[in-house]
Amino acid sequence: GRSGGRGSSSSSSPVTPTGDEAAGYLFFCTKRTGAECFRRSLFGAKSVNMGEVARVGPSTTLFLFEFQGRTLYGPFTAASAPAMNIEEDAWAKFKPSFKGPDYKPFPAQVRVAREGPVRKVTPSKSLRLTEGALDAKAVADFHAKLRAGETAPEAEQVRRR
């Protein structure tokens, strides 16, 4: 992969594969940050995760897991290349008060889109989910779980592809 590509990517750049494109990617959120994800059509992760978020490409299937209510949402697609701070003020109100004024809670960002209705499901408590890249088997498993779920009207704000 590339190193030190800080600030070199613009939010309008097309989605380009890195050569190590992940089959899928699972982002995490809370009830409150999830509402902002849908409103902004933007998913984010901590800066330390940018190396893995950079594996999101045009054919990567994206999912969002709201871990407080254990709700899995998807599928989504990348509408931009992953970049740092596509929206500088995203999730700013969730910044801990002890962090400095330049702190960004989830700066490793990807603009997202939906191709049709987003679905949601509550996976079994025994299913241990980890934020990050997913292999093809995990993507197929998530698709099967979501087919058994229901439509997610709260995700209708996400821009259509």
Side-chain angles (χ1 to χ4, degrees), residues 93-139:
K93 64 182 176 241
F94 303 106
K95 175 169 65 173
S97 58
F98 62 86
K99 296 286 189 178
D102 295 330
Y103 176 79
K104 309 282 188 263
F106 308 108
Q109 300 173 356
V110 178
R111 176 83 54 212
V112 300
R114 62 186 175 87
E115 293 184 346
V118 173
R119 298 186 65 79
K120 65 180 176 180
V121 69
T122 303
S124 96
K125 288 218 186 306
S126 64
L127 182 66
R128 304 272 309 154
L129 297 177
T130 306
E131 187 171 24
L134 303 168
D135 62 20
K137 182 183 180 310
V139 170

Side-chain angles (χ1 to χ4, degrees), residues 11-57:
S11 61
S12 62
S13 63
V15 182
T16 52
T18 63
D20 187 25
E21 190 176 331
Y25 199 96
L26 178 63
F27 286 90
F28 274 25
C29 69
T30 65
K31 278 185 172 62
R32 290 169 57 209
T33 60
E36 190 165 340
C37 288
F38 296 144
R39 187 171 49 77
R40 292 181 184 263
S41 296
L42 189 74
F43 292 172
K46 291 184 163 69
S47 58
V48 297
N49 297 3
M50 188 58 207
E52 197 166 11
V53 173
R55 294 183 58 201
V56 170

Side-chain angles (χ1 to χ4, degrees), residues 1-9 47 50-52 54 82-84:
R2 295 187 320 228
S3 63
R6 243 196 177 123
S8 61
S9 191
S47 58
M50 188 58 207
E52 197 166 11
M84 293 296 285

